Amino acid sequence: MADAVQTPQPTFPPRIFSGIQPSGGLTLGNYLGALKRFVEKQEEGIETIYCMVDMHAITVWQDPEKLRQQTREGAAAFIAAGIDPARSILFNQSQVTAHVELGWIFNCIARMGWMSRMTQFKDKAGKNSENVSLGLFAYPSLMAADILSYKATHVPVGDDQKQHLELCRDIAIKFNNDYKVDFFPVVEPVIEGAATRVMSLRDGTKKMSKSDPSDQSRINLTDDADTISKKIRKAKTDPEPLPDSLDALKDRPEARNLVNIYAALAGHTPEQVIRDYAGAQFGTFKPALADLAVAKLEPITLEMNRLMQDQAEIDRILGAGADRAEAIARPIVDQVYDIVGMIRSRRR
Ligand code: TYM
């Protein structure tokens, strides 16, 4: 084969973006799969932009007052977990209109077929797909716009967002090809650590989720020490002691989940945890896990509660973050209008 002429891929400076929906209280899954890792990225010194995605939340019904409170509570959770609003940009999505503007353009890039293959849409719509909002269908396209409004290169998320990020890559590639530009980076999902998929405490085959009807299935970031402890002690397990290898946990999803949670909270690998607890009964392991969870989560809950006493301050932080986000996103989205062929002749 003749030497192909390689078009060098432009390099984009590393920039992290990620978001969390304020569609309910945050769970241990959100903390271990997302928040805790967002803090690690901030500490690595990379530019980090984090967002409460309120526009995504309204793709399913949200009570307006609860939505506002949950957005503030989510922001408080970010800060309580260690996000420093001076070093990271922290804001709520609806305050930066670049997202929905680019989202519309991406609705015209993404294909119906791509969207219909999204498993989260299929799960959420279920048998009711005729009756869900159009926004729920277009959800991943707005998510791509969130990321690409900043030309973010890396997106830390839990495992359940992998398919959405693949779609974000497809949108970036199609946009670049259609308009013959090297404008958008093809983002890298960052799905790493022991807890990329924290499972329900009642059913080890189901993801821990804020929308599960059973409160016993999850640990909420607002749970007090006693509640956390009780939920872990009552978590579903099997009668066997912990084995001495992870392989032996293959068909024991509940046990595997608790080992993963322990590892993520302790900052160890699951291998280390299984080495330390080989042969232990759950009567020993669960109280150890409960103590660890309380030690790690209680300070965050207390700090969240403290921050929520001053809601005006949270709103101020979100507003200041939105100003900084806008300063990055506006010129990028303005360039997109030019690329697409829109006249921009207003005097601003
Ligand atoms: P959301 O709000 O469902 O969840 C926020 C983050 O928490 C992770 N997560 C979990 N990780 C491990 N185990 C679990 N049980 C668990 N539950 C949730 C999610 O993977 C996610 O990282 N579509 C996104 C929000 C979004 C977004 C974005 C993310 C909108 N725009 C742009 C990244 C970039 C969502 O619904 O996340």
Side-chain angles (χ1 to χ4, degrees), residues 21 29-30 139 143 146 157-158 160-161 196 198 207-208 210:
Q21 289 196 71
N30 295 127
Y139 180 113
M143 181 163 159
D146 294 338
V157 283
D160 60 343
Q161 297 301 314
T196 55
V198 177
K207 193 184 71 171
M208 182 181 287
K210 46 196 159 200

Side-chain angles (χ1 to χ4, degrees), residues 17-23 26-35 37-38 49 51-54 56-57 93 99 120 124 139-140 142-148 154-162 164-165 168 190-191 195-200 206-210 257:
F17 181 95
S18 201
I20 295 189
Q21 289 196 71
S23 50
L26 300 189
T27 69
L28 180 67
N30 295 127
Y31 175 64
L32 294 177
L35 272 182
R37 297 175 43 237
F38 297 172
I49 306 176
C51 186
M52 291 307 296
V53 290
D54 46 9
H56 276 109
Q93 185 186 29
H99 295 228
Q120 281 217 342
K124 280 198 181 170
Y139 180 113
L142 179 59
M143 181 163 159
D146 294 338
I147 299 163
L148 295 176
H154 294 81
V155 184
V157 283
D159 179 70
D160 60 343
Q161 297 301 314
K162 196 171 170 187
H164 287 159
L165 292 184
C168 175
V190 185
I191 302 173
T196 55
R197 194 171 181 83
V198 177
M199 308 308 275
S200 155
K206 267 173 53 187
K207 193 184 71 171
M208 182 181 287
S209 155
K210 46 196 159 200
N257 187 37

Side-chain angles (χ1 to χ4, degrees), residues 31 45 79 83 87 110 119 121 278 291 304 326 328 337 339:
Y31 175 64
I79 300 167
I83 293 299
R87 282 191 288 156
T119 53
F121 173 75
D291 288 349
M304 266 172 78
E326 167 100 18
I328 302 172
Y337 281 122
I339 292 170

Side-chain angles (χ1 to χ4, degrees), residues 142-214:
L142 179 59
M143 181 163 159
D146 294 338
I147 299 163
L148 295 176
S149 291
Y150 302 91
K151 295 193 178 182
T153 53
H154 294 81
V155 184
V157 283
D159 179 70
D160 60 343
Q161 297 301 314
K162 196 171 170 187
Q163 198 188 27
H164 287 159
L165 292 184
E166 276 158 17
L167 189 114
C168 175
R169 291 165 64 95
D170 290 342
I171 289 179
I173 292 168
K174 187 168 189 310
F175 181 95
N176 288 347
N177 283 341
D178 286 357
Y179 291 102
K180 301 190 175 38
V181 287
D182 278 323
F183 190 72
F184 285 122
V186 180
V187 297
E188 289 297 332
V190 185
I191 302 173
E192 55 193 26
T196 55
R197 194 171 181 83
V198 177
M199 308 308 275
S200 155
L201 298 179
R202 308 301 313 160
D203 177 351
T205 63
K206 267 173 53 187
K207 193 184 71 171
M208 182 181 287
S209 155
K210 46 196 159 200
S211 58
D212 193 312
S214 162

Side-chain angles (χ1 to χ4, degrees), residues 194 199 204-205 236-263 269-282 285:
M199 308 308 275
T205 63
K236 184 178 167 205
T237 40
D238 54 46
E240 303 297 318
L242 283 173
D244 58 8
S245 83
L246 285 179
D247 278 352
L249 285 180
K250 202 161 46 67
D251 299 319
R252 298 172 61 188
E254 284 86 12
R256 177 66 211 239
N257 187 37
L258 295 188
V259 167
N260 284 353
I261 293 175
Y262 191 107
T269 61
E271 286 81 0
Q272 266 172 294
V273 176
I274 212 76
R275 235 178 285 133
D276 292 346
Y277 283 95
Q281 299 288 343
F282 283 104
F285 184 66

